[in-house]
């Protein structure tokens, strides 16, 4: 049996999992002291992975670090350092980062409390930025989001991710190959390059969602199946996830462009303005896709209603033709003794001729009215 021959029945547990993507489970005890570290996400790695790229215009050092103590000296070096942390479940390690880089307790709390709204916060020694990294799960047909946190200091950037694997390999390649101006710029330009890579991935996700939307729209117009509505609603939910993820990024980037952060130079603000334009394009595309999906749902309902009306019209015409024939058959099917037509030798063929004439006349009348 093909997929089109089955109707997907919504599973209540699946509905709960879907809503869990919008409403995060609160595991922190009510009334806890501000800055209490509680990891609210899943443990997606067995061991936290630490990687560092330390560079200046003359060279680059790239390494995977086993002990976090090797990273503390990078805070005060003249070179630009990018420290990447994969995995947020080691609260002791996060706390030690906070001590060494002098991070505010509320920043540490937001680092491990995943599902934060995209935002930009300015502190005396650094800027704290949160935004989602999005990927498209081809097998499940859903949008997966991951919280990315950036702490941008005078000469260093620390990125915190939930799991291994990201969208930053093009940035690493540029640093290794010394392409463009990235080696000669500071930490604020590195933060721009990382955020730009995240926003560029949004377009790839939108392309996948757009292809899926076009496919379902054509199917809704040509040959909608019984499982069409569940798939359209699933796609609509994914667009809600996208909208919820990317809409606040506009305000985040607007703050970086228009703000007065001492850690972002005027030269870098120009590049952030370009990322802001890209984010606006993403938002506009998401809104357009939402309209297309809503139109596809209306189109599907209209197509199904039209088909139902066509079927009902045929059944109604057939019933209208047979009603007078049933009446005539009922008259001569009564068991009265004195029915003169029953004793005539030509009564039976006359009745057939009359019934066929009535049926033929009604068919011609329906055709003349355009009902057939």
């Amino acid at each position: 049996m093909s997929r089109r021959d089955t109707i997907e029945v919504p599973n209540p547990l699946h509905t709960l999992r879907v809503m869990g993507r919008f409403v995060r489970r609160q595991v922190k005890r009510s009334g806890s002291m501000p800055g209490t570290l509680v990891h609210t996400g899943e443990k997606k790695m067995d061991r936290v992975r630490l990687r560092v790229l330390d560079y200046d215009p003359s060279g680059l050092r790239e390494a995977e670090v086993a002990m976090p103590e090797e990273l503390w000296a990078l805070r005060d070096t003249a070179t630009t350092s990018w420290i990447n942390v994969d995995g947020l479940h080691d609260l002791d390690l996060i706390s030690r980062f906070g001590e060494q880089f002098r991070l505010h307790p509320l920043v540490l709390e937001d680092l491990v409390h995943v599902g934060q709204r995209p935002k930009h916060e300015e502190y005396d020694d650094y800027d704290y930025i949160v935004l989602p990294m999005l990927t498209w799960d081809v097998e499940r047909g859903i949008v997966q989001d991951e919280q990315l946190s950036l702490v941008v200091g005078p000469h260093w950037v620390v990125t915190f991710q939930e799991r291994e694997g990201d969208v930053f390999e093009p940035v690493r390649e540029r640093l290794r190959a010394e392409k463009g101006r990235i080696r000669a710029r500071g930490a604020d330009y590195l933060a721009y390059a990382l955020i730009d890579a995240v926003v560029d991935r949004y377009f790839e996700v939108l392309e996948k969602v757009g292809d899926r939307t076009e496919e379902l729209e054509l199917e809704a117009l040509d040959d909608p199946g019984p499982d069409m509505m569940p798939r359209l609603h699933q796609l609509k939910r994914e667009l809600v996830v996208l909208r919820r993820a990317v809409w606040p990024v506009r305000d985040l980037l607007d703050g970086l462009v228009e703000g007065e952060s001492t850690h972002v130079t005027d030269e870098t603000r120009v590049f952030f303005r370009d990322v802001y334009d890209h984010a606006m394009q993403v938002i506009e595309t998401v809104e357009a896709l939402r309209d297309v999906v809503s139109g596809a749902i209306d189109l599907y309902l209209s197509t199904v209603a039209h088909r139902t009306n066509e079927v009902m019209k045929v059944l109604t015409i057939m019933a209208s033709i047979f009603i007078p024939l049933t009446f005539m058959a009922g008259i001569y099917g009564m068991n009265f003794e004195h029915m003169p037509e029953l004793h005539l030798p030509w009564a039976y063929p006359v009745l057939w001729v009359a019934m066929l004439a009535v049926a033929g006349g009604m068919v011609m009348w329906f055709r003349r009215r355009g009902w057939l």
Side-chain angles (χ1 to χ4, degrees), residues 337-365:
E337 181 177 358
H338 301 288
M339 294 185 70
E341 294 86 352
L342 297 180
H343 302 288
L344 298 176
W346 41 264
Y348 178 71
V350 168
L351 180 60
W352 265 109
V353 170
M355 294 174 66
L356 292 176
V358 170
M362 295 189 68
V363 169
M364 294 177 59
W365 185 60

Side-chain angles (χ1 to χ4, degrees), residues 99-339:
E99 293 175 0
Q100 296 297 325
F101 287 86
R102 303 169 190 172
L103 305 182
H104 195 279
L106 293 179
V107 171
L108 298 178
E109 180 181 349
D110 288 346
L111 284 175
V112 297
H113 195 288
V114 299
Q116 295 291 321
R117 187 177 187 272
K119 61 182 178 179
H120 167 229
E121 296 177 350
E122 299 179 17
Y123 292 86
D124 293 337
D125 300 329
Y126 56 87
D127 284 5
Y128 175 56
I129 301 171
V130 181
L131 73 163
M133 284 196 302
L134 303 178
T135 55
W136 176 255
D137 190 329
V138 179
E139 295 182 357
R140 300 169 60 190
I142 64 173
V143 177
Q144 290 186 331
D145 61 325
E146 175 188 352
Q147 176 173 302
L148 170 67
S149 300
L150 298 91
V151 183
V152 185
H155 301 286
W156 44 269
V157 175
V158 185
T159 54
F160 295 87
Q161 305 181 46
E162 295 184 52
R163 58 177 176 266
E164 189 176 354
D166 51 42
V167 301
F168 301 138
E169 196 57 33
V171 179
R172 295 187 181 96
E173 291 296 332
R174 288 163 57 192
L175 287 169
R176 294 166 186 149
E178 196 178 359
K179 292 182 179 180
R181 57 176 65 86
I182 189 168
R183 285 269 201 97
R185 299 295 183 111
D188 59 337
Y189 190 86
L190 174 61
Y192 148 73
L194 298 176
I195 295 174
D196 184 56
V198 172
V199 175
D200 285 344
R201 177 55 63 91
Y202 294 170
F203 286 102
E204 297 182 19
V205 175
L206 281 177
E207 183 179 355
K208 301 295 184 182
V209 177
D211 292 342
R212 183 65 172 160
T213 302
E214 183 178 4
E215 174 188 342
L216 290 179
E217 184 183 26
L218 293 176
E219 185 177 335
L221 181 62
D222 296 334
D223 185 24
D227 64 338
M228 187 75 188
M229 184 59 74
R231 288 188 286 152
L232 284 171
H233 275 292
Q234 179 187 356
L235 184 58
K236 192 172 184 178
R237 285 196 301 266
E238 300 312 314
L239 287 171
V240 172
V241 173
L242 270 174
R243 186 180 188 276
R244 181 176 180 268
V246 303
W247 191 270
V249 175
R250 178 191 61 174
D251 299 330
L252 181 158
L253 293 170
D254 182 63
L256 291 171
V257 172
E258 303 296 339
E260 299 179 356
S261 173
T262 57
H263 304 107
V264 179
T265 63
D266 292 338
E267 294 179 353
T268 306
R269 291 187 200 279
V270 177
F271 295 99
F272 275 117
R273 189 181 306 156
D274 181 65
V275 184
Y276 176 84
D277 293 338
H278 293 170
M280 290 299 299
Q281 293 177 22
V282 171
I283 292 173
E284 292 171 356
T285 304
V286 170
E287 294 299 323
L289 289 176
R290 291 182 67 200
D291 292 339
V292 172
V293 172
S294 297
I297 292 176
D298 294 338
L299 178 61
Y300 169 77
L301 295 176
S302 300
T303 303
V304 172
H306 177 70
R307 289 186 175 182
T308 303
N309 291 336
E310 289 295 320
V311 172
M312 293 303 299
K313 183 177 72 173
V314 173
L315 295 177
T316 302
I317 290 175
M318 293 178 63
S320 300
I321 293 174
F322 279 93
I323 284 176
L325 306 184
T326 304
F327 172 76
M328 298 173 68
I331 289 293
Y332 290 101
M334 293 186 296
N335 296 322
F336 290 112
E337 181 177 358
H338 301 288
M339 294 185 70

